[in-house]
Amino acid sequence: MRADRLVSLVLLLRQRGRLTAETLARELEVSTRTVLRDIEALSAAGVPVYAERGRHGGFALLPGFRTDLAGLNHDEALALLTAGSGRGELVFGLGSALASAMRKVVDALPAGHRATASDAAQRFLVDPQTDLLSRRLVTDEIPGATMGEVRRAVLAGHKLRIHYAATGRAPQWRTVDPVGLVTVRDRAYLLATRSGEDRTYRLSRVLAAEELPEPALRPDRVDLDRIWRERSARFLAGGDHLTVLLRVEPARREELLDAALAVRAEAPDADGRLRLEVTFQDTRHAEWALWQLGTDAEALSPPSLRTALRERATAMADRYRDPP
């Protein structure tokens, strides 16, 4: 851990020039005292870092010093820098690691490509926090300590004990065999087995976690994409989910998908709208989701949903028929 931090410190000084201890501490997420100890360690190891006193002072490297890192071409670095501009790193608690990795990527470039790759990456924005309708996109909040325990158990292949709050139930402790982690639209899930049965846990509902020393019962190799598809198919096929045939204005499609569980089929309609077959959790869920879209969406089936929406619209019209 300290070795990674020392490399990150050197890279920060290489790429930004003179920096104060306070700035370095903020970037590395440590105390200023730790930064000062790290500076001493670098000097003792022969890294030419020196301090400048005064109002605009700080720490810097002697000109020409360069770390020995593998090189990348311009497009490879640009791809990594662009991927790192998204918010996926927040889901699995890897923000600090990503920041450190991005510094290494920039430093690995030839001098002539370093500035152009960094500037080019600023021209790409991946998954901003709000969309064009100013709707804030919400990322699951997962405590760092909890995420760290889950991540370590997954990577080490150890059993995991979690305190899980399933919907509508009191939180319970359970021991699982972790298989992998999946993030979908900024929601993170733990794929696991419990007593040999497949289980999928939403990480934002894990209140606490503890990595256990016992090895997990799981195969050595895993195809998470295939497992996720299979579990998604079973999820949609089971329970009392409601399938709705509807038409929606193209501009409201994403808003509809944000509310639905899944889209089974989609095709353009003759009037320019989209015709979709969508799965909702139940009738109440479907009624709520379509009501948000107003006249931009129309449920074609089942008839019971059309009746529920008509009755709700009638009640609303009656409420506002006369002035108060």
Coordinates of all heavy atoms in Angstrom, one line a residue, residues 36-74:
L36 N 5.0 14.0 4.8 CA 6.3 14.4 5.1 C 7.2 13.2 5.3 O 8.4 13.1 5.0 CB 6.3 15.3 6.4 CG 5.6 16.6 6.2 CD1 5.6 17.4 7.5 CD2 6.3 17.5 5.2
R37 N 6.6 12.1 5.9 CA 7.4 10.9 6.1 C 7.7 10.2 4.8 O 8.8 9.7 4.5 CB 6.6 9.9 7.0 CG 6.6 10.3 8.5 CD 6.3 9.1 9.3 NE 5.0 8.5 9.0 CZ 3.8 8.8 9.7 NH1 3.9 9.7 10.7 NH2 2.7 8.3 9.3
D38 N 6.7 10.3 3.8 CA 7.0 9.7 2.5 C 8.0 10.5 1.8 O 8.8 9.9 1.0 CB 5.6 9.7 1.7 CG 4.7 8.7 2.2 OD1 5.1 7.8 3.0 OD2 3.5 8.7 1.8
I39 N 8.0 11.8 1.9 CA 9.1 12.6 1.2 C 10.5 12.2 1.8 O 11.4 12.0 1.0 CB 8.8 14.1 1.5 CG1 7.6 14.6 0.8 CG2 10.0 14.9 1.0 CD1 7.6 14.6 -0.7
E40 N 10.6 12.0 3.1 CA 11.9 11.6 3.6 C 12.3 10.2 3.1 O 13.4 10.0 2.8 CB 11.7 11.5 5.2 CG 11.6 12.9 5.8 CD 11.5 12.8 7.3 OE1 11.6 11.6 7.8 OE2 11.4 13.8 8.0
A41 N 11.3 9.3 3.0 CA 11.6 7.9 2.4 C 12.1 8.0 1.0 O 13.0 7.3 0.6 CB 10.4 7.1 2.6
L42 N 11.4 8.9 0.2 CA 11.9 9.0 -1.2 C 13.3 9.6 -1.3 O 14.1 9.1 -2.1 CB 10.9 9.9 -1.9 CG 9.5 9.3 -2.2 CD1 8.6 10.4 -2.8 CD2 9.6 8.2 -3.2
S43 N 13.6 10.6 -0.5 CA 14.9 11.2 -0.5 C 16.0 10.1 -0.1 O 17.0 10.0 -0.7 CB 15.0 12.3 0.5 OG 14.1 13.4 0.0
A44 N 15.6 9.3 0.9 CA 16.6 8.3 1.3 C 16.8 7.2 0.3 O 17.9 6.6 0.2 CB 16.1 7.6 2.6
A45 N 15.8 7.0 -0.6 CA 15.9 6.0 -1.7 C 16.5 6.6 -2.9 O 16.7 5.9 -3.9 CB 14.5 5.5 -2.0
G46 N 16.9 7.9 -2.9 CA 17.6 8.5 -4.0 C 16.8 9.2 -5.0 O 17.3 9.7 -6.0
V47 N 15.5 9.4 -4.7 CA 14.6 10.2 -5.6 C 14.9 11.6 -5.3 O 14.8 12.1 -4.2 CB 13.1 9.9 -5.3 CG1 12.2 10.7 -6.2 CG2 12.8 8.4 -5.6
P48 N 15.2 12.4 -6.4 CA 15.6 13.8 -6.2 C 14.5 14.8 -5.9 O 14.1 15.6 -6.7 CB 16.3 14.1 -7.5 CG 15.6 13.3 -8.5 CD 15.3 12.0 -7.8
V49 N 13.9 14.6 -4.7 CA 12.8 15.5 -4.3 C 13.4 16.5 -3.3 O 14.2 16.2 -2.5 CB 11.6 14.7 -3.7 CG1 12.1 13.9 -2.5 CG2 10.5 15.6 -3.3
Y50 N 13.0 17.8 -3.5 CA 13.5 18.8 -2.6 C 12.4 19.8 -2.2 O 11.3 19.8 -2.8 CB 14.6 19.6 -3.3 CG 14.2 20.4 -4.5 CD1 13.9 21.7 -4.4 CD2 14.1 19.8 -5.7 CE1 13.5 22.5 -5.5 CE2 13.7 20.5 -6.8 CZ 13.4 21.8 -6.7 OH 13.0 22.6 -7.8
A51 N 12.6 20.5 -1.1 CA 11.6 21.4 -0.6 C 12.1 22.9 -0.9 O 13.2 23.2 -0.9 CB 11.5 21.3 0.9
E52 N 11.0 23.7 -1.3 CA 11.3 25.1 -1.5 C 10.5 25.9 -0.4 O 9.3 25.6 -0.2 CB 10.8 25.5 -2.9 CG 11.7 25.0 -4.0 CD 11.3 25.6 -5.3 OE1 10.4 26.4 -5.3 OE2 12.0 25.3 -6.3
R53 N 11.1 26.7 0.3 CA 10.5 27.5 1.4 C 9.8 28.7 0.8 O 9.9 29.1 -0.3 CB 11.6 27.9 2.4 CG 12.5 26.8 2.9 CD 11.7 25.8 3.7 NE 12.5 24.7 4.2 CZ 12.1 23.7 4.9 NH1 10.8 23.6 5.2 NH2 12.9 22.7 5.3
G54 N 9.0 29.3 1.7 CA 8.4 30.6 1.4 C 6.9 30.4 1.1 O 6.3 29.3 1.1
R55 N 6.3 31.6 0.7 CA 4.8 31.6 0.5 C 4.4 30.7 -0.6 O 3.3 30.1 -0.5 CB 4.5 33.1 0.2 CG 3.0 33.3 0.0 CD 2.7 34.7 -0.3 NE 1.3 34.9 -0.6 CZ 0.7 36.1 -1.0 NH1 1.5 37.1 -1.1 NH2 -0.6 36.2 -1.3
H56 N 5.2 30.6 -1.7 CA 4.8 29.8 -2.8 C 5.7 28.5 -2.9 O 5.9 28.0 -3.9 CB 5.0 30.6 -4.1 CG 4.1 31.8 -4.2 ND1 2.8 31.7 -4.3 CD2 4.5 33.1 -4.1 CE1 2.3 33.0 -4.3 NE2 3.3 33.8 -4.2
G57 N 6.1 28.1 -1.7 CA 7.0 26.9 -1.7 C 6.2 25.6 -1.7 O 5.0 25.6 -2.0
G58 N 7.0 24.5 -1.6 CA 6.4 23.2 -1.6 C 7.4 22.2 -2.0 O 8.6 22.5 -1.8
F59 N 7.0 21.1 -2.4 CA 8.0 20.0 -2.8 C 8.0 19.9 -4.3 O 7.0 20.0 -5.0 CB 7.6 18.7 -2.2 CG 7.7 18.7 -0.7 CD1 6.5 18.9 0.1 CD2 8.9 18.6 0.0 CE1 6.6 18.9 1.5 CE2 9.0 18.6 1.4 CZ 7.8 18.8 2.1
A60 N 9.2 19.5 -4.8 CA 9.3 19.4 -6.3 C 10.4 18.4 -6.6 O 11.2 18.0 -5.7 CB 9.7 20.7 -6.9
L61 N 10.5 17.9 -7.8 CA 11.5 17.0 -8.3 C 12.5 17.8 -9.1 O 12.2 18.8 -9.8 CB 10.9 15.9 -9.1 CG 10.0 14.9 -8.4 CD1 9.3 14.0 -9.4 CD2 10.8 14.0 -7.4
L62 N 13.8 17.3 -9.1 CA 14.8 18.0 -10.0 C 14.4 17.8 -11.4 O 13.8 16.7 -11.8 CB 16.2 17.3 -9.7 CG 16.9 17.7 -8.4 CD1 18.2 16.9 -8.3 CD2 17.1 19.2 -8.3
P63 N 14.6 18.7 -12.3 CA 14.2 18.6 -13.7 C 14.8 17.4 -14.4 O 16.0 17.1 -14.1 CB 14.7 19.9 -14.3 CG 14.8 20.9 -13.2 CD 15.2 20.0 -12.0
G64 N 14.0 16.8 -15.2 CA 14.6 15.6 -16.0 C 14.4 14.3 -15.3 O 14.6 13.2 -16.0
F65 N 13.9 14.3 -14.0 CA 13.7 13.0 -13.4 C 12.5 12.3 -14.0 O 11.5 12.9 -14.2 CB 13.5 13.1 -11.9 CG 13.2 11.8 -11.2 CD1 14.2 10.9 -10.9 CD2 11.9 11.5 -10.8 CE1 14.0 9.7 -10.3 CE2 11.6 10.3 -10.2 CZ 12.7 9.4 -9.9
R66 N 12.6 11.0 -14.2 CA 11.5 10.3 -14.8 C 11.4 8.9 -14.2 O 12.5 8.2 -14.1 CB 11.6 10.2 -16.4 CG 10.5 9.4 -17.0 CD 10.6 9.5 -18.5 NE 9.6 8.7 -19.2 CZ 8.3 9.1 -19.3 NH1 7.9 10.2 -18.8 NH2 7.4 8.3 -19.9
T67 N 10.2 8.4 -13.9 CA 10.0 7.1 -13.4 C 10.1 6.1 -14.6 O 9.8 6.4 -15.7 CB 8.7 6.9 -12.7 OG1 7.7 7.4 -13.6 CG2 8.7 7.7 -11.4
D68 N 10.3 4.8 -14.3 CA 10.4 3.8 -15.3 C 9.1 3.0 -15.4 O 8.9 2.1 -14.6 CB 11.6 2.8 -15.0 CG 11.8 1.8 -16.1 OD1 11.2 2.0 -17.2 OD2 12.4 0.8 -15.8
L69 N 8.2 3.5 -16.3 CA 6.9 2.8 -16.4 C 6.8 2.4 -17.9 O 7.3 3.0 -18.8 CB 5.8 3.7 -16.0 CG 5.7 4.1 -14.5 CD1 4.6 5.2 -14.3 CD2 5.5 2.9 -13.7
A70 N 6.0 1.3 -18.1 CA 5.8 0.8 -19.4 C 5.0 1.9 -20.2 O 4.1 2.5 -19.7 CB 5.0 -0.5 -19.4
G71 N 5.4 2.1 -21.5 CA 4.7 3.1 -22.3 C 3.4 2.6 -22.9 O 3.2 1.4 -23.1
L72 N 2.6 3.6 -23.3 CA 1.3 3.3 -24.0 C 1.3 4.3 -25.2 O 1.8 5.4 -25.1 CB 0.1 3.6 -23.1 CG 0.0 2.8 -21.8 CD1 -1.1 3.4 -20.9 CD2 -0.4 1.3 -22.2
N73 N 0.6 3.8 -26.2 CA 0.4 4.8 -27.3 C -0.7 5.7 -27.0 O -1.5 5.6 -26.0 CB 0.2 4.0 -28.7 CG -1.1 3.2 -28.7 OD1 -2.1 3.7 -28.2 ND2 -1.0 2.1 -29.3
H74 N -0.9 6.7 -27.9 CA -1.8 7.8 -27.6 C -3.3 7.2 -27.5 O -4.0 7.6 -26.5 CB -1.8 8.8 -28.7 CG -2.7 10.0 -28.6 ND1 -4.0 9.9 -29.0 CD2 -2.6 11.2 -28.0 CE1 -4.6 11.1 -28.7 NE2 -3.8 11.8 -28.1

